[in-house]
Coordinates of all heavy atoms in Angstrom, one line a residue:
L9 N 205.0 71.0 43.1 CA 204.0 71.6 44.0 C 204.3 71.1 45.6 O 204.4 72.0 46.4 CB 202.6 71.1 43.7 CG 202.1 71.8 42.5 CD1 200.8 71.1 42.1 CD2 202.0 73.3 42.7
T44 N 208.2 69.6 71.7 CA 208.6 70.3 70.4 C 210.1 69.9 70.2 O 210.4 69.6 69.0 CB 208.5 71.8 70.6 OG1 207.1 72.0 70.9 CG2 209.0 72.5 69.3
V85 N 219.2 55.7 73.8 CA 218.9 55.3 75.2 C 220.2 55.7 76.1 O 220.1 56.3 77.1 CB 218.7 53.7 75.3 CG1 218.7 53.4 76.8 CG2 217.4 53.4 74.6
L87 N 222.2 58.1 75.3 CA 222.2 59.5 75.4 C 221.2 60.1 76.5 O 221.6 61.0 77.3 CB 221.7 60.2 73.9 CG 221.8 61.6 73.9 CD1 223.3 62.1 74.0 CD2 221.3 62.0 72.4
V103 N 229.1 71.4 73.2 CA 229.9 70.4 73.7 C 231.3 70.7 74.0 O 231.9 70.3 75.1 CB 229.7 69.1 72.7 CG1 230.7 68.0 73.2 CG2 228.3 68.7 72.6
I107 N 233.6 70.5 77.5 CA 235.0 69.8 77.6 C 235.9 70.8 78.1 O 236.9 70.4 78.9 CB 235.3 69.2 76.2 CG1 234.2 68.1 76.0 CG2 236.6 68.6 76.3 CD1 234.4 67.4 74.6
R117 N 239.5 72.2 74.8 CA 238.5 72.8 74.1 C 238.8 72.8 72.6 O 237.9 72.6 71.8 CB 238.1 74.1 74.6 CG 236.9 74.8 74.1 CD 236.6 76.0 74.7 NE 235.5 76.7 74.2 CZ 234.8 77.7 74.8 NH1 235.3 78.4 75.9 NH2 233.8 78.4 74.2
E148 N 214.2 66.2 38.0 CA 214.8 65.7 36.7 C 215.9 66.3 36.3 O 216.0 66.9 35.1 CB 213.6 65.8 35.7 CG 212.4 64.9 36.0 CD 211.4 65.0 35.0 OE1 211.6 65.5 33.9 OE2 210.2 64.5 35.3
T175 N 215.1 74.8 64.8 CA 214.2 74.0 65.7 C 212.8 73.9 65.2 O 212.2 72.8 65.0 CB 214.2 74.7 67.2 OG1 215.6 74.5 67.7 CG2 213.3 73.8 68.1
I196 N 201.7 49.8 50.6 CA 202.4 48.6 50.1 C 202.2 47.5 51.0 O 201.9 46.4 50.5 CB 203.9 48.9 50.0 CG1 204.2 50.0 48.9 CG2 204.6 47.6 49.7 CD1 205.6 50.5 48.8
H239 N 221.7 35.4 59.5 CA 222.9 36.0 59.8 C 224.0 35.5 58.8 O 224.5 34.3 59.2 CB 223.3 35.9 61.2 CG 224.6 36.6 61.5 ND1 225.0 37.7 61.1 CD2 225.6 36.1 62.5 CE1 226.2 38.0 61.6 NE2 226.5 37.0 62.4
P271 N 214.2 74.4 78.8 CA 214.3 75.3 80.1 C 215.0 74.6 81.3 O 215.9 75.2 82.0 CB 213.0 75.7 80.4 CG 212.2 75.5 79.1 CD 212.8 74.2 78.5
S320 N 211.0 40.8 30.0 CA 211.6 41.1 28.7 C 211.9 42.6 28.5 O 211.2 43.5 29.3 CB 210.7 40.8 27.5 OG 209.4 41.5 27.5
Q364 N 225.6 30.0 38.5 CA 226.6 30.0 37.4 C 226.4 28.7 36.6 O 226.4 28.7 35.3 CB 228.1 29.9 38.0 CG 228.6 31.2 38.5 CD 229.9 31.1 39.3 OE1 230.5 30.1 39.5 NE2 230.5 32.2 39.6
R449 N 227.6 82.6 61.1 CA 227.1 82.5 59.8 C 228.1 82.4 58.7 O 227.8 81.6 57.8 CB 226.2 83.8 59.5 CG 224.9 83.6 60.3 CD 224.1 84.9 60.3 NE 222.8 84.8 61.0 CZ 222.2 85.6 61.9 NH1 222.6 86.8 62.0 NH2 221.0 85.3 62.4
K500 N 245.3 66.5 80.8 CA 246.2 65.8 79.9 C 245.7 64.5 79.5 O 245.9 64.2 78.3 CB 247.5 65.7 80.7 CG 248.2 67.0 81.0 CD 249.6 66.8 81.7 CE 250.3 68.1 81.8 NZ 249.6 69.2 82.6
L514 N 240.6 57.9 62.2 CA 240.6 58.7 60.9 C 241.5 58.1 59.9 O 241.4 57.9 58.8 CB 241.0 60.1 61.2 CG 240.8 61.0 60.1 CD1 239.4 61.1 59.8 CD2 241.2 62.4 60.5
H520 N 241.1 52.8 54.2 CA 240.2 52.0 53.5 C 239.2 52.6 52.5 O 238.7 52.1 51.5 CB 239.3 51.3 54.5 CG 239.9 50.2 55.5 ND1 240.8 50.5 56.4 CD2 240.0 49.0 55.2 CE1 241.4 49.5 56.9 NE2 240.9 48.4 56.2
G522 N 240.2 55.9 51.2 CA 240.9 57.0 50.4 C 241.3 58.2 51.4 O 240.5 58.6 52.1
M524 N 241.4 61.8 52.6 CA 240.4 62.9 52.4 C 239.3 62.4 51.5 O 238.6 63.2 50.8 CB 241.2 64.0 51.8 CG 242.3 64.6 52.6 SD 241.8 65.0 54.3 CE 240.6 66.4 54.0
F525 N 239.1 61.1 51.5 CA 238.0 60.4 50.8 C 238.2 60.6 49.1 O 237.2 60.6 48.4 CB 236.6 61.0 51.1 CG 236.3 60.7 52.5 CD1 235.7 61.8 53.4 CD2 236.4 59.5 53.0 CE1 235.4 61.4 54.7 CE2 236.1 59.1 54.5 CZ 235.6 60.3 55.2
D536 N 238.6 43.5 52.5 CA 240.0 43.1 52.9 C 240.5 43.9 53.8 O 241.6 44.6 53.5 CB 240.8 42.7 51.6 CG 242.1 42.1 52.0 OD1 242.1 41.5 53.0 OD2 243.1 42.3 51.3
K543 N 236.1 46.1 59.6 CA 235.8 47.1 58.5 C 236.0 48.6 59.0 O 235.8 48.9 60.3 CB 234.4 47.0 58.1 CG 234.1 45.6 57.4 CD 232.7 45.4 56.9 CE 232.5 44.1 56.2 NZ 231.0 44.0 55.7
D591 N 220.0 56.4 108.2 CA 219.8 55.1 108.8 C 218.5 55.2 109.6 O 218.4 56.0 110.6 CB 220.9 54.6 109.5 CG 220.7 53.2 110.0 OD1 219.7 52.6 109.5 OD2 221.6 52.8 110.9

Side-chain angles (χ1 to χ4, degrees):
L9 287 174
T44 303
V85 177
L87 185 60
V103 172
I107 292 171
R117 186 172 181 175
E148 297 182 11
T175 294
I196 295 168
H239 175 40
S320 68
Q364 288 172 355
R449 286 169 172 146
K500 291 182 174 59
L514 195 59
H520 292 77
M524 299 301 295
F525 299 133
D536 184 22
K543 297 179 180 179
D591 186 13

